[in-house]
Amino acid sequence: QAQLQESGPGLVKPSETLSLTCSVSDGSITNYYWNWIRQPAGKGLEWIGRIYAPGNINYNPSLESRVTMSMDTSKNQFSLKMTSVTAADTAVYYCARSPRKVSTTYYYFMDVWGTGTTVTVSS
Amino acid sequence: QSALTQPRSVSGSPGQSVTISCTGTSSDIGTFNYVSWYQQHPGKAPKLMIYDVTKRPSGVPDRFSGSKSGNTASLTISGLQAEDESHYYCCSYAGSYTFYVFGTGTEVTVL
């Protein structure tokens, strides 16, 4: 089974851009959908967006104006950029996998998750 | 799109059953059979427990079951065990614009 690992700076200054990468261990990046989810300390989960090859993207409408996702299939990685961050963006950020549509069967759940990376927005 | 509503906490003794409700709207749970449930231990990543309302991934004990009626989904843990003490989140697909909406989360305590 694939393992996912988030990486990126743990500290970002207010108004700057948060950048995270998720590495997929087993080379399956073209076979699944890939999500970003975040969780502020002591709070619930919030879906940020998903990307799938060859570059189709869906974003949470509440974050869409500040978020960009991309993927590099040659490196088996996908990435998240969030601009103009504030303290409200401080959270644990998870990447997670969703199964890809098969014929007319759709799958809307996340079956493999990374361990999460903590991002703090502070000057 | 508001978060799905879950009780803040539920509790039960070992061996008992507990049920966690997840209330949404006709735009999410009421329309789509794409409700999933996640277990999250402190400091850990969420783990998929139920998908498509009632289906269990391989390896999830059969004491975990899911159901749905109208705009409300439910997760039942039968034969509660100490290791089931955790936070649980529901999630629903909500259409191609909103996409996913998570629940507020429920802490399950084993007495």
Side-chain angles (χ1 to χ4, degrees):
Chain A
Q1 172 164 281
Q3 291 187 325
L4 310 183
Q5 183 64 59
E6 305 90 349
S7 60
L11 181 64
V12 182
K13 290 182 168 55
S15 80
E16 295 191 345
T17 297
L18 175 162
S19 295
L20 297 174
T21 296
C22 181
S23 298
V24 181
S25 66
D26 67 352
S28 64
I29 196 165
T30 58
N31 298 334
Y32 292 90
Y33 301 148
W34 305 97
N35 303 269
W36 287 101
I37 300 103
R38 69 179 182 178
Q39 184 175 36
K43 296 188 177 181
L45 299 162
E46 180 180 33
W47 180 76
I48 300 171
R50 77 167 190 180
I51 187 168
Y52 57 100
N56 300 293
I57 303 171
N58 303 99
Y59 293 125
N60 183 325
S62 67
L63 298 170
E64 184 168 12
S65 63
R66 298 194 294 125
V67 170
T68 302
M69 295 177 64
S70 61
M71 68 189 317
D72 187 334
T73 56
S74 67
K75 294 182 178 179
N76 291 307
Q77 295 177 335
F78 62 101
S79 299
L80 171 71
K81 291 187 186 300
M82 182 180 292
T83 62
S84 305
V85 297
T86 69
D89 296 310
T90 294
V92 176
Y93 285 75
Y94 295 99
C95 57
R97 185 184 82 174
S98 293
R100 201 169 177 125
K101 178 174 83 75
V102 175
S103 183
T104 58
T105 301
Y106 292 82
Y107 301 102
Y108 292 108
F109 56 88
M110 286 144 272
D111 63 345
V112 179
W113 293 65
T115 55
T117 187
T118 299
V119 177
T120 301
V121 179
S122 175
S123 55
Chain B
Q1 179 84 24
S2 298
L4 307 174
T5 301
Q6 299 180 232
R8 181 174 293 272
S9 64
V10 299
S11 62
S13 299
Q16 288 186 331
S17 293
V18 296
T19 296
I20 304 167
S21 61
C22 171
T23 301
T25 70
S26 58
S27 297
D28 39 66
I29 294 176
T31 294
F32 302 104
N33 290 319
Y34 296 123
V35 177
S36 51
W37 290 89
Y38 302 87
Q39 177 191 64
Q40 187 180 34
H41 291 300
K44 300 295 187 182
K47 174 187 175 184
L48 177 68
M49 305 301 284
I50 295 287
Y51 67 97
D52 292 357
V53 180
T54 61
K55 298 176 182 176
R56 271 190 318 277
S58 174
V60 172
D62 60 6
R63 64 178 184 274
F64 290 88
S65 62
S67 62
K68 188 186 94 166
S69 178
N71 295 339
T72 299
S74 299
L75 174 71
T76 298
I77 309 173
S78 305
L80 198 61
Q81 298 186 7
E83 68 215 52
D84 300 332
E85 187 163 287
S86 189
H87 278 86
Y88 292 84
Y89 293 92
C90 60
C91 180
S92 178
Y93 176 67
S96 59
Y97 178 68
T98 302
F99 230 84
Y100 288 110
V101 59
F102 279 96
T104 50
T106 299
E107 181 178 21
V108 170
T109 302
V110 181
L111 301 172

